[in-house]
Amino acid sequence: MSPIQKRDFMKILVCISNVPDTTTKVTFTDNNTKFNTAGVQFIINPYDELALTRALEITEKQGGSVTAITVGLTDTEPSIRKALAIGAQDAVRINAEPTDAYFVAEQIAAYAKTENYDLILTGRESIDHNGGLVCGLLGEMLGIPSVNVITSIEVENGSATMERDIDGGKEKLTCKLPLVASAQKELTEPRIPNMRGIMAARTKPLKVVEPAASSATSATVAFELPAAKGGVKLIAAEQAEQLIEILHNEIKVI
Amino acid sequence: MSVLVFAESTEGTFKKSTFEAVSYAAELAKNNSVACVALSIGIADDSKCADLAKYGADKVISIKGDKLNQFVAEAYAKLISNAATQENATIVVISNTYSGKSVASRVAAKLKAAIASGVISMPDTTAGFKVRRGVYSGKAFADVDLKTPVKVLAITPNTFNITEYNKALQVVHAEGGLNDTDFISTPVEVSRVTGKIPLTEAEVVVSGGRGLKGPENWHLIEDLAETLGAATACSKPVSDMHWRPHSEHVGQTGITIKPNLYIAIGISGAIQHLAGVSSSKVIVAINKDPEAPFFKAADYGIVGDAFEVLPKITAAAKKMKAQAI
C-alpha cells in the first residue's frame, strides 16, 4: 500500500440549504404569507450538492476535511444527515429559521470566523428563494474573495484556479486561498450516498449551534402565484408559417 | 441624498440591461426628488457615458483604469460602496447579471444594507419598502420588505423600460483609490462567445428538446434563431446528454429567463422546465404530442413534427425579415 501523499491539506466548509424538491407544485397558506409544506419532499439544494461533491473530490485527492453547515430548524436535519451520508466528515446546524440571505450569511460568517477554513463553497443559488447572494455576502463579511458561479476549481499551493460563467461567456481566474465560491452546474456530477455512507452518517457528529445576534434586514410579506395563461391558440402544422405572421404583425414580438 | 446606479460595462460598452437600470434608478430618484447618480467603472469613455445621461443619469462618476477593464468583484464592490457613501445614496441599483449579482451582495454587506435580487417591480413605499421578486425558480413571486436605511436592488434584465430623459451630461472623473490588495483575484483568460446573444439578455429565445433527436439536428434550431436574432437554449435532458452545453439549459436547475418570446421545440414541458421560462411574455410550443404539458403553458401551439414544422417557420421568418429591410 502506497502512503497517501498529503500535498495540500484542505479544510473546507460547504453551505447546505434545505429546499422543496424540484417537482413540487408550489402553493401557499396563511393568506399567501407562508409556503405550504404539506406533502412536500425536501432535498439538499441541487447546487449545494455539487459544491459538496466537489469538496469531497478535492479532499480525497489531496487530503483534508469537509464540514457541512446549514441554517435551519430541526426539520432540516434529514438534509444535513444526507450531506453526511454523501461524505462530509461532520456537520453544523445553526438553529434558526433562515429568514433571508443576509441573515444566513451572518450566521455562517459568525461560525466560520474562528474556524480558518481554506475554502468555503455554496450553491449558485437556492432553488426556492433564488437569491444567489450568500457567496458574496459571506466573502465580504469574512473579508475574503468571493467567486460566483464556478464551473471548475482546482486547488494547488494555497491558490485556486477556477472557471466561472460570466455574461455571454466564461472567465478563467486564479485566486489565493482562503476564498468562498458558488457552484454552477458543470462543476461536477452529484454523488449518490451508498449504504455504507448512510449507516456512517448516523454516528457522524452533528453540532447544533444557537444563532448569533443578527440584523433582520428584510422580511417576505406575501407570495403570489403567476396568473394562469389564457389558453393556447393552436395553429395547424400545415400552415406553420402563419406563426411568423402572428408574431410579427399581430403581437409584434419579432 | 441620491439613488446610485452601477452602470455595468463590458469592454467599454454599456449593455441594454445597464440602460434599463439607469432608467429604473432615474424613476426612483424622481419619485424621491433626489439625484440619479451613475457610476461607470472600467474604460467606457465620455461619449459612451453620454448615453447614461440620455437614459436618466443627472451625474456620471467615471472611474477608469487598465486593471478595471476586467471585472473583479472585490475591487468593484469597494468603488460602488464608496460612491454610495460619498453620494449619500439611500438606494443602490445594480443589474441582476452574473457580474452585477456577485458585486451587489458584497456592496450590501459593506453598507450593511438590505438586499433584494431578481427584482421585478418598482418599490412600493406606501407601507415600508416592498419590492417584488421571482422565487421558487419562476413558480411564484414574493413581496419583500427591506428594512434598513440603505437598500440594494439587483433588478432583473429585460423587465423595465428604457426611458429617454435626455439630461445634460455631467461627468465627474474620479480616482478609485484602490491598491493592489483590492485585486486579490486575477483574471487569467476571458472568452466571450462573439456574434451570439447571451441567453439571459435575449429578447427572443429558440429552445430545443429531446424531440430534436440528436445534436446533429441543431442546425434547425440555430437557423431559426439566427434569422430571428434570437439566443438558443435547451431542456435539461439535452444538456445532460451533452447534446448542448450546460450554459444553454433553461429551467429550475438551469437558467431562468424572461424573453419577450420563447419558442420551445420538441420540449414536453416538465414542471421544472416551465418554472424557468414561465415569465416569458409570449410562449410558443411546438410538439408532436398533443398531450404535451407545454401546450397548457403556451400562448401559441403547433401540434406537429419538428422536422416538418421548423423549416416552414424558418422560411417564413426569412421572408418576413427580407421584406422588413
Side-chain angles (χ1 to χ4, degrees):
Chain A
M1 210 170 79
S2 63
I4 298 165
Q5 240 188 335
K6 292 197 172 172
R7 285 171 296 181
D8 222 344
F9 188 95
M10 291 285 294
K11 189 175 172 182
I12 307 178
L13 181 70
V14 180
C15 308
I16 300 287
S17 189
N18 185 53
V19 298
D21 178 66
T22 56
T23 58
T24 304
K25 190 171 185 300
V26 172
T27 57
F28 302 100
T29 62
D30 296 42
N31 201 17
N32 280 336
T33 56
K34 282 197 176 69
F35 175 73
N36 184 5
T37 57
V40 172
Q41 177 84 29
F42 279 82
I43 55 167
I44 296 179
N45 183 43
Y47 297 111
D48 303 349
E49 216 170 322
L50 299 180
L52 175 63
T53 306
R54 187 67 195 128
L56 293 168
E57 289 166 0
I58 292 171
T59 55
E60 280 157 13
K61 190 175 147 204
Q62 56 204 55
S65 66
V66 176
T67 300
I69 189 166
T70 195
V71 179
L73 301 174
T74 44
D75 60 318
T76 64
E77 286 208 0
S79 284
I80 200 86
R81 281 278 173 216
K82 191 182 170 198
L84 292 169
I86 292 170
Q89 273 80 31
D90 60 349
V92 178
R93 179 171 69 80
I94 297 172
N95 190 28
E97 183 81 44
T99 48
D100 65 8
Y102 204 104
F103 176 83
V104 168
E106 269 183 326
Q107 295 304 327
I108 296 172
Y111 181 83
K113 212 159 254 173
T114 54
E115 293 285 330
N116 298 317
Y117 292 103
D118 301 299
L119 179 64
I120 302 178
L121 293 175
T122 72
R124 181 192 101 181
E125 63 180 37
S126 68
I127 61 165
D128 53 358
H129 286 277
N130 309 108
L133 301 170
V134 169
C135 174
L137 287 165
L138 264 180
E140 194 61 45
M141 288 170 184
L142 292 168
I144 58 176
S146 52
V147 185
N148 281 45
V149 290
I150 58 165
T151 55
S152 75
I153 180 168
E154 297 294 338
V155 179
E156 206 174 25
N157 300 326
S159 173
T161 302
M162 292 159 283
E163 277 182 299
R164 68 164 157 195
D165 282 351
I166 55 172
D167 302 286
K170 274 199 181 290
E171 182 185 53
K172 187 177 176 186
L173 70 162
T174 60
C175 187
K176 277 211 178 93
L177 300 174
L179 64 87
V180 51
S182 72
Q184 166 69 317
K185 209 174 163 208
E186 285 164 71
L187 189 61
T188 186
E189 294 293 325
R191 197 177 281 191
I192 293 151
N194 57 27
M195 193 44 79
R196 218 175 101 208
I198 294 165
M199 298 301 283
R202 292 182 188 169
T203 53
K204 282 181 178 173
L206 196 172
K207 189 157 73 170
V208 179
V209 178
E210 288 309 313
S214 161
S215 34
T217 60
S218 77
T220 297
V221 288
F223 292 103
E224 194 178 305
L225 293 169
K229 286 273 181 188
V232 63
K233 293 188 190 79
L234 287 178
I235 297 161
E238 300 74 46
Q239 283 141 15
E241 62 278 357
Q242 277 185 1
L243 176 71
I244 295 297
E245 160 80 18
I246 293 169
L247 297 177
H248 182 61
N249 292 330
E250 276 183 38
I251 53 172
K252 300 184 181 359
V253 285
I254 54 172
Chain B
M1 298 228 275
S2 69
V3 174
L4 180 77
V5 54
F6 167 48
E8 185 186 336
S9 59
T10 306
E11 283 152 17
T13 303
F14 298 113
K15 296 186 293 187
K16 179 174 160 274
S17 57
T18 300
F19 299 138
E20 290 167 5
V22 172
S23 285
Y24 181 95
E27 190 178 339
L28 265 178
K30 198 171 84 183
N31 294 346
N32 291 288
S33 310
V34 297
C36 170
V37 181
L39 172 66
S40 163
I41 304 171
I43 53 167
D45 57 27
D46 288 6
S47 64
K48 289 269 166 53
C49 288
D51 279 342
L52 303 178
K54 183 178 173 189
Y55 298 122
D58 294 297
K59 180 166 99 176
V60 178
I61 303 172
S62 169
I63 302 175
K64 287 189 198 172
D66 289 344
K67 270 188 159 177
L68 293 169
N69 186 23
Q70 279 178 323
F71 176 82
V72 177
E74 296 73 27
Y76 273 52
K78 194 169 172 180
L79 296 176
I80 296 168
S81 50
N82 284 352
T85 309
Q86 253 164 41
E87 297 293 324
N88 208 359
T90 50
I91 304 166
V92 180
V93 177
I94 296 173
S95 276
N96 199 71
T97 56
Y98 280 130
S99 305
K101 200 148 67 169
S102 65
V103 77
S105 46
R106 291 196 77 108
V107 169
K110 269 189 199 292
L111 298 172
K112 303 208 180 323
I115 176 166
S117 60
V119 171
I120 54 166
S121 76
M122 290 298 288
D124 172 0
T125 53
T126 46
F129 186 99
K130 281 181 282 188
V131 287
R132 177 160 282 208
R133 54 185 304 274
V135 288
Y136 297 97
S137 307
K139 289 178 185 172
F141 306 111
D143 293 329
V144 183
D145 189 13
L146 305 183
K147 298 174 174 182
T148 49
V150 179
K151 288 117 181 147
V152 178
L153 305 178
I155 65 165
T156 305
N158 207 20
T159 305
F160 300 99
N161 293 328
I162 297 171
T163 310
E164 288 198 19
Y165 287 83
N166 296 318
K167 294 177 180 173
L169 175 65
Q170 188 201 338
V171 185
V172 179
H173 293 275
E175 294 290 325
L178 295 173
N179 45 47
D180 284 350
T181 55
D182 293 312
F183 295 89
I184 191 155
S185 64
T186 315
V188 180
E189 195 186 329
V190 172
S191 50
R192 282 200 172 80
V193 186
T194 48
K196 263 187 117 181
I197 301 140
L199 191 48
T200 46
E201 293 163 33
E203 291 182 5
V204 179
V205 174
V206 180
S207 188
R210 260 184 300 197
L212 269 295
K213 294 197 163 64
E216 68 279 8
N217 297 320
W218 235 259
H219 63 95
L220 292 168
I221 297 281
E222 282 166 339
D223 205 9
L224 178 60
E226 201 186 320
T227 310
L228 296 176
T232 55
C234 69
S235 66
K236 183 171 187 291
V238 165
S239 78
D240 283 352
M241 290 184 290
H242 304 291
W243 292 3
R244 301 296 294 174
H246 284 302
S247 55
E248 284 198 2
H249 162 205
V250 292
Q252 189 161 8
T253 53
I255 297 168
T256 303
I257 54 169
K258 49 176 305 178
N260 295 339
L261 173 64
Y262 183 72
I263 305 178
I265 300 142
I267 303 175
S268 64
I271 188 168
Q272 297 97 323
H273 184 80
L274 296 180
V277 302
S278 60
S279 296
S280 308
K281 288 183 189 111
V282 176
I283 294 176
V284 176
I286 299 168
N287 205 296
K288 66 178 178 187
D289 174 12
E291 301 299 319
F294 225 134
F295 288 119
K296 289 198 176 67
D299 300 284
Y300 296 92
I302 299 175
V303 179
D305 185 359
F307 295 96
E308 286 166 26
V309 171
L310 256 179
K312 276 189 199 168
I313 294 173
T314 306
K318 282 184 176 156
K319 207 170 132 194
M320 179 270 289
K321 288 284 172 190
Q323 281 165 358
I325 293 165

